[in-house]
Amino acid sequence: MTNSGHKIKVVCRVRPFLKSETPDESVAVESSSLLRVTNPRDSSKDVKFNFDSCYGPGIGQEAIYKNDVRPLVETVFNGLSATVFCYGVTGAGKTHTIQGTEAEPGIIPRAMEHIFKHQERDAFDYDIRVSYYEIYKEAVFDLFRSRDTMPPAGLPIREDANRRIFIAGLSEKKVTSYEQFEQLYQKACRNRRTASTKLNNHSSRSHAILTVQ
């Protein structure tokens, strides 16, 4: 993540054990910024890693958004660009953190609700437009379009006269309320490619990017 205080801010979240896993103490959050990991080559030794923020399995979505994402979204209202990049192996909990569930919304729905509330509170007159696409097997697909209307090879990636990279043919939707965005977003999420893995019955098999202008 990036914000006005740091060019890059790294946050670590440790998920709870799955029912199919045997709990152990090989990974533990020791403080709000320190992670301890048992050395896989020598279980008698630990390796420690420092992050800007660390969250254990008991921390919910709201705390993570309030502490580390909300300040980032606030910088957007000052005219800055911001990015949240969720990284981890299959089954790490990326989709839960970024997308969440109806009961526990993730970063994307919380950020969009934040943006619309800010617009209503301060009566700012600006358009909000979103695009949403996935990268699957090195091809780009528009998630706001049904799969049967997409080229089999995906959308082409091109460079404009100013050498900026863009996706040709990617749709951009104007949204005027959080409710409208949520309806559009949920439909797009169902277009994502998923498959069963040993760690996750509905693993997202692609990289998804939501852009808000």
Side-chain angles (χ1 to χ4, degrees):
M1 297 190 292
T2 60
N3 63 15
S4 57
H6 306 269
K7 288 189 175 181
I8 297 178
K9 186 174 184 179
V10 183
V11 177
C12 176
R13 184 182 196 184
V14 179
R15 67 160 171 78
F17 286 97
L18 303 175
K19 292 181 179 180
S20 59
E21 297 173 330
T22 302
D24 60 40
E25 298 181 355
S26 59
V27 178
V29 175
E30 291 203 341
S31 71
S32 61
S33 61
L34 187 65
L35 183 75
R36 175 186 57 78
V37 180
T38 300
N39 190 331
R41 296 181 179 178
D42 185 350
S43 59
S44 65
K45 297 180 181 179
D46 293 332
V47 182
K48 296 186 178 182
F49 301 92
N50 282 291
F51 295 89
D52 291 286
S53 298
C54 277
Y55 296 97
I59 302 299
Q61 307 273 60
E62 184 177 0
I64 293 173
Y65 183 80
K66 181 180 178 181
N67 295 338
D68 287 299
V69 184
R70 183 179 178 86
L72 185 66
V73 176
E74 288 288 340
T75 66
V76 174
F77 306 134
N78 296 322
L80 300 177
S81 296
T83 299
V84 177
F85 182 85
C86 198
Y87 175 83
V89 299
T90 297
K94 300 182 295 298
T95 301
H96 178 71
T97 296
I98 205 82
Q99 182 176 315
T101 63
E102 186 176 351
E104 280 282 305
I107 288 172
I108 286 176
R110 289 177 187 272
M112 292 303 298
E113 187 176 29
H114 180 180
I115 289 170
F116 281 110
K117 284 184 177 179
H118 183 276
Q119 185 186 41
E120 293 171 2
R121 183 182 68 241
D122 295 346
F124 279 148
D125 183 20
Y126 53 77
D127 289 342
I128 299 174
R129 299 177 181 273
V130 294
S131 60
Y132 195 31
Y133 60 96
E134 68 175 353
I135 302 172
Y136 178 70
K137 294 184 178 180
E138 300 184 1
V140 177
F141 299 92
D142 190 339
L143 290 172
F144 287 151
R145 293 167 56 182
S146 60
R147 294 184 189 177
D148 56 0
T149 65
M150 291 290 298
L155 299 175
I157 301 174
R158 294 176 179 165
E159 188 176 73
D160 65 16
N162 296 314
R163 306 198 69 180
R164 290 176 298 199
I165 302 299
F166 71 98
I167 300 168
L170 181 66
S171 60
E172 190 177 72
K173 303 288 187 180
K174 180 179 177 180
V175 286
T176 57
S177 68
Y178 175 73
E179 290 72 23
Q180 182 187 6
F181 165 77
E182 186 177 36
Q183 185 178 16
L184 187 67
Y185 179 63
Q186 291 301 327
K187 183 178 179 180
C189 287
R190 290 193 290 269
N191 286 334
R192 286 196 67 186
R193 287 163 173 79
T194 61
S196 177
T197 68
K198 291 182 179 179
L199 289 173
N200 190 343
N201 288 333
H202 302 284
S203 177
S204 300
R205 305 311 298 155
S206 65
H207 304 281
I209 299 96
L210 177 79
T211 303
V212 184
Q213 298 283 350

